Amino acid sequence: LVPDQSIFGLAYLDGKVYGGTTRNGGLGIDPAAEEAKLFVFDTDSNQLALEPFTPQIPDLNGPINVIGELSIGPDGLLWGIANGTVYKADGSVDHYDAALFAMNPATLEIVKSSVITDSPYNTSKVRPYYLRWGPDGLLYTTIGRKLFAVDPEDLRSKQIINGKVDLMTLGSDGSIYYIAGPELYKIPVKIAE
């Protein structure tokens, strides 16, 4: 669907599959594309609804390396994470700015966005960050390979634990399960009744 790129995140809404890509290829090859893309695939026509494009995310510096994961939020917006490449003075990669964004799925206009954290080089080449909607109304994410809780109204964020987090999901009771290194952890979350 997007030449020279790998699909990195998918979300579905009303007959459309929204996809984000990474410009990183397989087998450790150097990227051929300049920036990651967002695409919309129409399931009725089995074709792209429009040409893949790179969204313009405010405050995100440098070329976008990765777009993914994607999720349709309870508010009906298309939510995603993008990494913008930040370069050193000598032209080498310093780090990525990791931004959370929400867009109107009908117009593909960015409604809100925020650079939540930075992430070291090479942290998200093969696995996207995770977005999980909690029963408490918060968005939980592994953006930048760190565990954050985000208020989707105003994008205020708080890092929940220190250190790198590889995998994360929410239990049916709202508890957070995550993997750091080889260990599985649980953060119990009590939901107000």
Side-chain angles (χ1 to χ4, degrees):
L1 292 175
V2 183
D4 298 321
Q5 302 207 25
S6 298
I7 295 175
F8 214 57
L10 296 171
Y12 175 83
L13 179 68
D14 298 334
K16 303 252 186 324
V17 176
Y18 299 86
T21 70
T22 174
R23 65 188 204 96
N24 295 307
L27 305 175
I29 62 172
D30 289 331
E34 290 185 20
E35 289 196 271
K37 303 285 184 187
L38 189 73
F39 65 88
V40 182
F41 185 83
D42 186 303
T43 59
D44 290 332
S45 68
N46 282 330
Q47 295 183 13
L48 290 172
L50 58 126
E51 190 68 26
F53 68 99
T54 302
Q56 299 304 303
I57 301 170
D59 301 323
L60 189 60
N61 296 314
I64 294 177
N65 192 50
V66 167
I67 300 172
E69 164 162 300
L70 298 174
S71 176
I72 302 297
D75 53 9
L77 297 175
L78 174 65
W79 289 78
I81 296 174
N83 273 354
T85 309
V86 179
Y87 293 98
K88 296 178 184 176
D90 66 5
S92 64
V93 173
D94 182 51
H95 69 277
Y96 297 115
D97 279 343
L100 179 66
F101 66 90
M103 65 176 21
N104 180 324
T107 64
L108 301 178
E109 176 186 348
I110 300 288
V111 175
K112 51 184 134 182
S113 67
S114 178
V115 173
I116 302 294
T117 187
D118 65 347
S119 57
Y121 183 61
N122 278 346
T123 62
S124 196
K125 280 192 169 184
V126 296
R127 181 184 302 133
Y129 302 128
Y130 294 96
L131 296 171
R132 299 292 184 262
W133 297 95
D136 57 4
L138 296 177
L139 174 60
Y140 294 91
T141 178
T142 58
I143 190 168
R145 292 283 176 253
K146 302 167 191 164
L147 186 56
F148 277 88
V150 179
D151 183 333
E153 288 298 316
D154 57 15
L155 302 183
R156 285 179 299 136
S157 62
K158 180 172 174 103
Q159 188 170 348
I160 298 172
I161 61 155
N162 291 324
K164 182 180 170 199
V165 173
D166 295 308
L167 302 168
M168 179 270 300
T169 195
L170 299 182
S172 58
D173 64 350
S175 294
I176 303 166
Y177 295 87
Y178 69 94
I179 292 177
E183 302 292 325
L184 173 64
Y185 297 92
K186 175 184 178 180
I187 301 173
V189 176
K190 184 175 180 174
I191 305 301
E193 294 183 23

